[in-house]
Amino acid sequence: MQVQSLGDKILNGDRRALARAITLVESTRPDHRAQASDLLEYLADSNRQAMRIGLSGTPGVGKSTFIEAFGMFLTAQGLRVAVLAVDPSSTRSGGSILGDKTRMDRLSRDPNAFIRPSPSRSHLGGVTRRTREAIALCEAAGFDVVLIETVGVGQSETVVSEMSDLFLLLLAPAGGDELQGVKRGIMEMADLILVNKADGDLKPAATRTCADYAGALRLLRKRPQDPEGYPKAMMVSAIQEHGLTEAWTEIQTLTRWRRENGHWDSRRRDQAVYWFEEEVRQGLLARLRQSPAREAMDGLRQAVASGQDTPDRAAKRMLDDYLGG
Ligand code: GDP
């Protein structure tokens, strides 16, 4: 397939072309990488921007249920919604938490939605680049909202927040010392905490959990990118589709404020720089792992492992030898 004709179909919002292009960016074959890179360059001129919303939560908290309900709510307003997943678990166990069950059945049949499960057999670095490129493809295809979903495992929340305009944390109601379950760093990333399952018997627990988090958020240092009163904690019920309008209103309020105050653009600029540096870091490591540096690297790794050399000294020697000291 010619890059240009694939690109034109994507610009026309063709979902099958979009799916094919994402398969292309996921491929590690050098000729595919070259085509993917040409395609992204061809599409970059379109300058289309979606609202990129990151969403995280541990398994079982209701991410798929929420994304389906929220996605349907958005498409009902005439918006086009894409859902991507960053699932580091697929790298470790070989099985994907986010991908292997039939998820979001109704949303997947909605002509204004596009859902792409996480690729398997890839390390987080690979998934990360593929997701960033998939976001760019979805934007070129004219999607208004791109939801990037992840489970709270390892680095994945940081990665997703670094590619999102807004970051939502989905929690389930719990009794007792619930707060200890969420790391401070993740709280600090969140723009909106959504306590899900605020329905039926769980409603009182959800109310308490929400109040606890609202209190905890007030104790965090105020961030320059937030107007007064943010980040917020609120309750939703994905199953009963309650709180979706309110959540969307908060997202829009925050978005408008950040756009008007320059924080929207500056966040994207900072993220571009972050990913540039990340690519340099990954690229350097990948090249150092090729011969002849590979042998030196293996030797130094063993020296560090056996305590013959310190990590700092070995790293400095490696860099001096290959970059000039
Ligand atoms: P995920 O693993 O985070 O994607 O969670 P799922 O969306 O698969 O939901 C896990 C379980 O929680 C399922 O049994 C859902 O039916 C249930 N669930 C999800 N949202 C709600 C909700 O709003 N209220 C209640 N009561 N249960 C929910």
Side-chain angles (χ1 to χ4, degrees):
M1 156 84 62
Q2 290 289 312
V3 161
Q4 194 168 335
S5 91
L6 183 60
D8 289 339
K9 284 187 181 151
I10 292 171
L11 290 172
N12 282 326
D14 181 333
R15 289 185 302 172
R16 278 169 63 191
L18 175 60
R20 209 173 323 148
I22 295 181
T23 305
L24 190 64
V25 301
E26 280 171 3
S27 170
T28 48
R29 259 175 55 180
D31 56 330
H32 287 169
R33 281 301 322 151
Q35 282 179 330
S37 152
D38 288 349
L39 178 65
L40 289 162
E41 202 170 311
Y42 181 70
L43 294 172
D45 291 343
S46 74
N47 263 329
R48 290 180 178 161
Q49 270 198 2
M51 185 192 285
R52 305 172 186 169
I53 302 177
L55 180 104
S56 173
T58 47
V61 29
K63 287 181 300 302
S64 354
T65 314
F66 175 79
I67 291 176
E68 174 150 87
F70 193 56
M72 302 287 295
F73 167 84
L74 294 176
T75 58
Q77 326 242 330
L79 296 168
R80 297 182 69 221
V81 179
V83 181
L84 305 172
V86 173
D87 181 1
S89 65
S90 55
T91 63
R92 262 185 254 158
S93 60
S96 163
I97 295 180
L98 296 174
D100 55 8
K101 50 186 165 165
T102 309
R103 307 168 81 238
M104 305 179 227
D105 192 39
R106 277 189 307 148
L107 188 62
S108 65
R109 278 184 273 117
D110 188 323
N112 283 320
F114 174 84
I115 300 177
R116 181 77 177 194
S118 183
S120 51
R121 287 174 286 107
S122 180
H123 59 94
L124 186 57
V127 175
T128 301
R129 181 194 287 159
R130 160 266 173 204
T131 308
R132 278 186 291 123
E133 292 177 343
I135 293 172
L137 294 170
C138 292
E139 292 192 317
F143 283 87
D144 302 292
V145 175
V146 179
L147 284 164
I148 310 134
E149 175 193 12
T150 192
V151 282
V153 180
Q155 287 288 299
S156 70
E157 269 141 340
T158 311
V159 157
V160 169
S161 96
E162 284 293 346
M163 52 178 85
S164 317
D165 301 311
L166 281 122
F167 190 72
L168 311 185
L169 180 61
L170 205 62
L171 298 173
D177 291 335
E178 148 85 1
L179 276 181
Q180 66 189 9
V182 174
K183 290 190 218 90
R184 186 191 169 93
I186 293 161
M187 291 259 300
E188 286 173 340
M189 269 177 226
D191 294 303
L192 220 49
I193 288 183
L194 302 175
V195 181
N196 189 32
K197 309 194 185 183
D199 49 51
D201 292 348
L202 290 169
K203 185 81 184 271
T207 309
R208 267 196 316 274
T209 302
C210 188
D212 285 350
Y213 277 97
L217 286 174
R218 276 195 294 275
L219 295 179
L220 293 180
R221 193 159 36 90
K222 185 176 174 326
R223 307 178 303 183
Q225 69 268 33
D226 291 331
E228 210 51 57
Y230 288 84
K232 270 189 188 174
M234 55 193 297
M235 287 189 278
V236 294
S237 165
I239 276 194
Q240 297 194 346
E241 306 187 1
H242 286 164
L244 303 179
T245 312
E246 290 80 358
W248 181 234
T249 304
E250 295 297 351
I251 289 170
Q252 285 178 301
T253 305
L254 204 48
T255 300
R256 202 174 309 120
W257 191 87
R258 287 188 183 164
R259 280 192 189 282
E260 283 166 4
N261 290 280
H263 295 296
W264 189 271
D265 290 335
S266 70
R267 178 168 172 142
R268 286 214 171 186
R269 278 197 299 271
D270 291 349
Q271 288 177 343
V273 170
Y274 173 90
W275 289 116
F276 160 69
E277 289 179 356
E278 196 56 29
E279 283 291 321
V280 171
R281 203 178 352 257
Q282 300 292 340
L284 270 177
L285 270 177
R287 287 195 193 188
L288 288 177
R289 286 195 190 107
Q290 290 161 3
S291 57
R294 187 194 182 117
E295 280 170 31
M297 188 98 165
D298 286 346
L300 287 166
R301 194 181 286 118
Q302 275 169 20
V304 171
S306 65
Q308 285 169 345
D309 213 343
T310 65
D312 324 19
R313 215 168 37 209
K316 183 172 185 315
R317 188 168 318 148
M318 186 78 206
L319 294 175
D320 284 351
D321 283 357
Y322 286 90
L323 297 175

